[in-house]
Amino acid sequence: MATDTSTGRSDAVGECSDDAALGGRLVLRQPRRGHRFGHDAILLAAAVAAQAGERAVELGAGVGAAGLALARRVEGLDVTLVEIDPALTALAAGNAERNGLAARVRAVSLDVTAPAGAFTAAGLAPASADHVLMNPPFNAAQNPSPDPVRRAAHVASDRTLAQWLDAAARLLRPGGAVTLIWRADGLAEVLAALAAQFGAVVVLPIHGKAGGPAIRVLVRAVKDRTGPLMLLSGLALADGAGKPAIAAESVLRDCAALPLI
């Protein structure tokens, strides 16, 4: 989870803090109010099986936590952060700079649902990516947050997931992979949305505590590929006593990969 280390201010987003991730391997500036990165972003980055020389695109990047964590783990990987909010896009670009990753990571302000021409104009042509990663909004519009940035990050419509996966399918080359994190109780929605354009689906349940129900699922699927669904043994963030689990800590703090195989 993010750890507050200092304070700052941006006229566009209000008061900001500098927060450590990956055991201090990243320091990310983010707004104090609204959506703030946490475990989901780091788990998502760890699950992307990228290699040096490839290109990854993060949709809905916010301040860039997942994409930058991925770039920190995989040297030589090119990453583009796509974020609709210009103020958050600016923070993401600044985070790439302050972490020494600006040579390989860029941020663009773009709506995920924008037409293909808008993506191409931003340097994201169809079939140009090897990996797409995303943490789409996944809550129904019941009791939405009064904060507009937090609401946009969390509240989904009935079409949100399909629209984001359409964008991913357009960006990916044949055989490229999409990786996403979603509510565990919404796994059926994810599988249904993937069926038209993706296959060879792998699912890793994430448990808040060993022996407890899954709270998230990490899902990887391959464009234009067929294959059986693979359900992996779950990852618990805490052990039965509520202490951080060793396997999870290696991902969240030590920058370890989380292979979906």
Side-chain angles (χ1 to χ4, degrees):
M1 191 66 70
T3 302
D4 186 11
T5 58
S6 67
T7 60
R9 188 167 186 85
S10 164
D11 290 340
V13 296
E15 188 177 4
C16 291
S17 61
D18 292 334
D19 299 307
L22 293 175
R25 291 171 177 82
L26 287 177
V27 177
L28 304 175
R29 175 150 291 201
Q30 62 178 334
R32 283 189 174 278
R33 296 179 59 86
H35 177 64
R36 291 169 61 82
F37 78 86
H39 290 341
D40 284 6
I42 305 305
L43 292 168
L44 175 62
V48 179
Q51 300 179 23
E54 293 184 328
R55 186 182 197 188
V57 179
E58 183 187 1
L59 300 180
V63 300
L68 289 167
L70 177 60
R72 175 63 77 217
R73 178 171 62 83
V74 184
E75 293 292 337
L77 178 69
D78 178 84
V79 179
T80 300
L81 309 172
V82 175
E83 169 55 43
I84 190 173
D85 186 323
L88 295 181
T89 305
L91 284 173
N95 285 332
E97 183 71 34
R98 70 171 46 88
N99 286 281
L101 294 169
R104 296 190 288 116
V105 181
R106 69 186 184 101
V108 298
S109 186
L110 189 64
D111 189 338
V112 173
T113 65
F119 275 80
T120 299
L124 294 167
S128 63
D130 300 285
H131 302 273
V132 171
L133 60 155
M134 62 171 99
N135 180 7
F138 52 51
N139 291 325
Q142 298 174 352
N143 301 316
S145 169
D147 184 278
V149 176
R150 187 175 182 84
R151 185 167 61 248
H154 289 280
V155 176
S157 73
D158 292 340
R159 287 281 301 151
T160 297
L161 181 57
Q163 290 170 330
W164 284 51
L165 287 173
D166 283 346
R170 187 176 66 238
L171 287 167
L172 287 167
R173 61 170 178 78
V178 61
T179 306
L180 67 144
I181 191 163
W182 195 259
R183 301 185 333 269
D185 64 1
L187 177 58
E189 302 168 48
V190 175
L191 297 178
L194 287 168
Q197 301 176 90
F198 297 91
V201 180
V202 181
V203 179
L204 174 66
I206 304 295
H207 303 262
K209 184 177 180 180
I215 56 174
R216 297 283 188 271
V217 285
L218 281 162
V219 182
R220 188 196 69 208
V222 182
K223 179 181 175 180
D224 298 334
R225 180 85 49 90
T226 59
L229 170 69
M230 182 183 297
L231 181 63
L232 304 178
S233 298
L235 175 74
L237 301 181
D239 63 20
K243 296 180 179 180
I246 294 174
E249 286 294 281
S250 70
V251 171
L252 297 172
R253 295 188 58 82
D254 298 334
C255 207
L258 187 58
L260 298 190
I261 56 174

